[in-house]
Amino acid sequence: MPLLITYLTSYFYVGTLWLFHHDYFTHVKRTTTALNILNLILSFTATLINYSMSLVAMALRTLNHADMQVAFIVYDIVALLISLSYWLIYHYLSTHPQLTDHGITSPTQRIDPLISGLIYGSSILVSWLNVWIAGVLLLLGIVFHFIAYLRMRLPAMH
């Protein structure tokens, strides 16, 4: 059961990241070497989800406190790297508006990766006190990504 739960959570997270990436990059008119490298870094960080979620699945199977703490921290670090990667892409494209349709990166959207980073950073700190609350924060970070995607997408849906 832990493997199935972590797989579904991982799929939801990767799916949300793909939705962000797909919808966002439809507004990119042309790329540069720097943008391609940033995109490659983002892709790499997303592939790390599988590893971190397998650690979470193994830790949840045994319910070993130390294993759970390490697994949640590793996952949080991966999520922080993903958030940082998105922030770098948003920042790069906001400083190179000639590469995109106008206004694809709103000020709110540019701080979303910082907010998610704060959630994951909090989860790391909380994991030293209570791993279950850290796990909930980790899940809240994933849900936040989906809500941020919907918020980005809503203006385009009208």
Short mmCIF file of all heavy atoms in Angstrom, two decimals, residues 65 69 123-134:
data_model
loop_
_atom_site.label_atom_id
_atom_site.label_comp_id
_atom_site.label_asym_id
_atom_site.label_seq_id
_atom_site.Cartn_x
_atom_site.Cartn_y
_atom_site.Cartn_z
N HIS A 65 11.21 5.65 12.28
CA HIS A 65 11.25 7.11 12.42
C HIS A 65 12.44 7.72 11.68
O HIS A 65 12.29 8.70 10.94
CB HIS A 65 11.28 7.50 13.90
CG HIS A 65 11.32 8.97 14.12
ND1 HIS A 65 12.50 9.68 14.19
CD2 HIS A 65 10.33 9.88 14.27
CE1 HIS A 65 12.23 10.95 14.37
NE2 HIS A 65 10.93 11.11 14.42
N GLN A 69 12.30 10.20 8.44
CA GLN A 69 12.88 11.54 8.50
C GLN A 69 13.81 11.76 7.32
O GLN A 69 13.72 12.78 6.62
CB GLN A 69 13.62 11.72 9.82
CG GLN A 69 14.15 13.11 10.04
CD GLN A 69 14.84 13.24 11.38
OE1 GLN A 69 15.48 12.29 11.85
NE2 GLN A 69 14.72 14.40 11.99
N SER A 123 9.07 21.95 6.00
CA SER A 123 8.94 20.51 6.21
C SER A 123 10.25 19.89 6.69
O SER A 123 10.24 19.02 7.56
CB SER A 123 8.47 19.84 4.91
OG SER A 123 8.37 18.45 5.07
N ILE A 124 11.35 20.35 6.13
CA ILE A 124 12.66 19.85 6.57
C ILE A 124 12.87 20.16 8.05
O ILE A 124 13.25 19.29 8.84
CB ILE A 124 13.81 20.44 5.72
CG1 ILE A 124 13.77 19.85 4.31
CG2 ILE A 124 15.16 20.17 6.38
CD1 ILE A 124 14.71 20.52 3.33
N LEU A 125 12.60 21.40 8.42
CA LEU A 125 12.79 21.80 9.83
C LEU A 125 11.85 21.03 10.75
O LEU A 125 12.26 20.55 11.81
CB LEU A 125 12.59 23.30 9.98
CG LEU A 125 13.61 24.19 9.29
CD1 LEU A 125 13.23 25.66 9.43
CD2 LEU A 125 15.01 23.94 9.84
N VAL A 126 10.60 20.90 10.35
CA VAL A 126 9.61 20.22 11.17
C VAL A 126 9.92 18.73 11.31
O VAL A 126 9.59 18.11 12.32
CB VAL A 126 8.18 20.45 10.62
CG1 VAL A 126 7.15 19.55 11.27
CG2 VAL A 126 7.79 21.91 10.78
N SER A 127 10.58 18.16 10.29
CA SER A 127 10.89 16.72 10.36
C SER A 127 11.75 16.38 11.57
O SER A 127 11.74 15.23 12.03
CB SER A 127 11.57 16.25 9.07
OG SER A 127 12.90 16.73 9.00
N TRP A 128 12.45 17.33 12.11
CA TRP A 128 13.27 17.08 13.31
C TRP A 128 12.39 17.00 14.55
O TRP A 128 12.81 16.44 15.57
CB TRP A 128 14.34 18.16 13.48
CG TRP A 128 15.32 18.12 12.35
CD1 TRP A 128 15.36 18.96 11.27
CD2 TRP A 128 16.37 17.18 12.16
NE1 TRP A 128 16.38 18.58 10.43
CE2 TRP A 128 17.02 17.50 10.95
CE3 TRP A 128 16.84 16.08 12.90
CZ2 TRP A 128 18.10 16.77 10.46
CZ3 TRP A 128 17.91 15.36 12.41
CH2 TRP A 128 18.53 15.71 11.20
N LEU A 129 11.16 17.55 14.45
CA LEU A 129 10.25 17.53 15.58
C LEU A 129 9.17 16.46 15.45
O LEU A 129 8.84 15.78 16.42
CB LEU A 129 9.58 18.91 15.75
CG LEU A 129 10.52 20.10 15.91
CD1 LEU A 129 9.74 21.40 15.85
CD2 LEU A 129 11.29 19.98 17.21
N ASN A 130 8.59 16.36 14.23
CA ASN A 130 7.50 15.43 14.02
C ASN A 130 7.46 15.05 12.54
O ASN A 130 7.11 15.88 11.69
CB ASN A 130 6.18 16.06 14.46
CG ASN A 130 5.02 15.10 14.41
OD1 ASN A 130 4.79 14.41 13.42
ND2 ASN A 130 4.26 15.06 15.50
N VAL A 131 7.78 13.79 12.24
CA VAL A 131 7.85 13.38 10.83
C VAL A 131 6.48 13.36 10.17
O VAL A 131 6.37 13.58 8.96
CB VAL A 131 8.54 12.01 10.65
CG1 VAL A 131 10.01 12.09 10.99
CG2 VAL A 131 7.85 10.91 11.41
N TRP A 132 5.42 13.10 10.93
CA TRP A 132 4.08 13.06 10.33
C TRP A 132 3.64 14.45 9.88
O TRP A 132 3.05 14.60 8.80
CB TRP A 132 3.07 12.44 11.29
CG TRP A 132 3.39 11.00 11.54
CD1 TRP A 132 3.89 10.45 12.69
CD2 TRP A 132 3.27 9.92 10.61
NE1 TRP A 132 4.09 9.10 12.53
CE2 TRP A 132 3.70 8.74 11.26
CE3 TRP A 132 2.83 9.84 9.28
CZ2 TRP A 132 3.71 7.51 10.63
CZ3 TRP A 132 2.84 8.59 8.66
CH2 TRP A 132 3.27 7.45 9.33
N ILE A 133 3.92 15.45 10.69
CA ILE A 133 3.59 16.83 10.28
C ILE A 133 4.45 17.22 9.09
O ILE A 133 3.99 17.88 8.15
CB ILE A 133 3.76 17.82 11.46
CG1 ILE A 133 2.74 17.50 12.55
CG2 ILE A 133 3.61 19.26 10.99
CD1 ILE A 133 2.91 18.31 13.82
N ALA A 134 5.71 16.79 9.08
CA ALA A 134 6.59 17.05 7.94
C ALA A 134 6.01 16.42 6.68
O ALA A 134 6.02 17.02 5.60
CB ALA A 134 7.99 16.52 8.20
#
